[in-house]
Amino acid sequence: MSDAVEINFDGLVGPTHNYAGLAQGNLASRRHAGLISNPREAALQGLEKMKASRDAGFPQAVLPPQQRPDMGLLHRLGYRGAPEDVLPRVGSESPELLYAACSAAAMWTANAATITPSRDTLDSRVHVTPANMQSALHRSIETAQTARTLKAIFADDRYFAHHPALPATPWFSDEGAANHTRLCAHHGGPGVHLFVHGDPAPDTLAAPTHHRPRQTLRACRALARQHGLSDQQTVFAQQHPEAIDAGVFHNDVICVGNGPVLLYHERAFLEERAVLEALRDRLAARSDGQPLIPIRVPEEAVTLEAAVASYLFNSQLLSRDDGSMTLVVPGECESDEAVWMTIQNLLLGGNNPISEVVVRDVKQSMRNGGGPACLRLRVVLDEAERQAMSGRVMLDDGLYQHLVQWVERHYRDRLTLEDLADPQLAHESLAALQELTDLLALGSIYPFQLEGVA
């Protein structure tokens, strides 16, 4: 796989982007609940981030938003009829249910699935498992559409293997690649897979006391089995309970890895030393002696609270052809003096491959608790696998311009929670998605196209 590259699939922000504060344990989401959102600005910010990455030489692709409001959910819960009949009634009787049905949280595609490159699998195919997201109603309704979308893009079964989501129970709670990191000497080489869970491991009773963990060890092990990963290819680590209680709801809020580099906060893992030793041993064995390059950020430099507020570790870490790396951080990092000093002194000034820090404005996403890393799903593909992809999802100048124009035609620049009960918003969203599937050449992937469920 010498021609393998990592492609970042960013989620397009949907037309119903709102601040309902639905995410348990996500402090930013709860803090901004009830604010007026700007779906148009959110989508354009996301597209600008994608284009900047693509212009810098990093392969970039897009994933479409999901159909919202999810009328199928409301119908299953006993609300019958067209949007004109259902949405005002739900908004009056059960506004929290309406917020869930209108959630645009699928924009954070780091939660969409766990994907293993063909270099690491027994059958030399790319393996895909959509996340069940069972810990919250508004995320659990994403799974079926995620599976349809990924199967539409990665349709050729000579190259891609699709698995069903894990059983949607607390035992197998799975929130996707936000809790999975692949470390390697280079993207086309063999990798070591770090799976991070929040529930107590069998040999420890340490657990968070304020927020429930969203990823389980059972789920991590099941994903590894589905994808045919051996013990020599995997490390399972428990997230530090103090981090979860501080608002680190996913591992990618406290740790980011790329190539042989692991950038992490000192309270990312319950057993830090054991995790690093296991990663060192497996990476060296798998990659002809490639050393792990850990970059540890101590609490005295950046507190857990500052890490969560700034989303320093929810940054993108991207490899350049010369072996150097670019760190893409949200603007909130620049606003925190301690965080910004750490970036300048520890990261840029340290003995590591990070040679550039780029600041991106994703405020509309950040207010709901999603930074640059939340917005992307990383997929390593070789040339044949790239050629086997379906649809027009790889970003280029033409697609970027078309998507910007599409957003400006269809998206509102002001959305309140009360607006979610407006049937006209539902019709606007369906019109937008119909045009988008044509634009992306994905065919019929949405319920209203397949089943007539508007």
Side-chain angles (χ1 to χ4, degrees), residues 11-18 39-40 42-43 65-66 104 107 406 411 429 433:
L12 286 168
V13 180
T16 61
H17 164 66
N18 67 86
R40 183 184 301 169
Q66 300 208 356
M107 62 195 275
W406 171 77
Y411 280 50
S429 299
L433 295 182

Side-chain angles (χ1 to χ4, degrees), residues 111-135:
N111 300 127
T114 300
I115 298 182
T116 299
S118 58
R119 180 64 179 83
D120 296 340
T121 61
L122 292 174
D123 62 2
S124 298
R125 292 191 295 170
V126 177
H127 282 243
V128 181
T129 301
N132 60 37
M133 301 297 292
Q134 69 86 42
S135 66

Side-chain angles (χ1 to χ4, degrees), residues 44-64:
L44 294 177
Q45 284 177 351
L47 282 168
E48 185 177 352
K49 168 185 171 292
M50 295 183 223
K51 185 177 187 300
S53 292
R54 185 259 178 187
D55 289 348
F58 303 112
Q60 181 67 56
V62 299
L63 287 175

Side-chain angles (χ1 to χ4, degrees), residues 242-264:
E242 292 179 11
I244 295 175
D245 282 338
V248 181
F249 50 95
H250 293 137
N251 180 61
D252 68 1
V253 179
I254 203 68
C255 170
V256 59
N258 177 59
V261 174
L262 188 71
L263 170 60
Y264 70 100

Side-chain angles (χ1 to χ4, degrees), residues 7 53 71 86 93 103-104 112 129 136 139-140 144 150 180 188 216 225 233 245 253 266 296 323 394 406:
I7 303 173
S53 292
M71 296 302 298
V86 171
E93 294 180 358
S103 170
T129 301
R139 300 304 308 263
S140 68
L150 294 178
H180 169 251
T216 68
R225 287 193 299 270
Q233 294 172 284
D245 282 338
V253 179
E266 71 166 274
R296 182 182 194 262
M394 292 300 299
W406 171 77

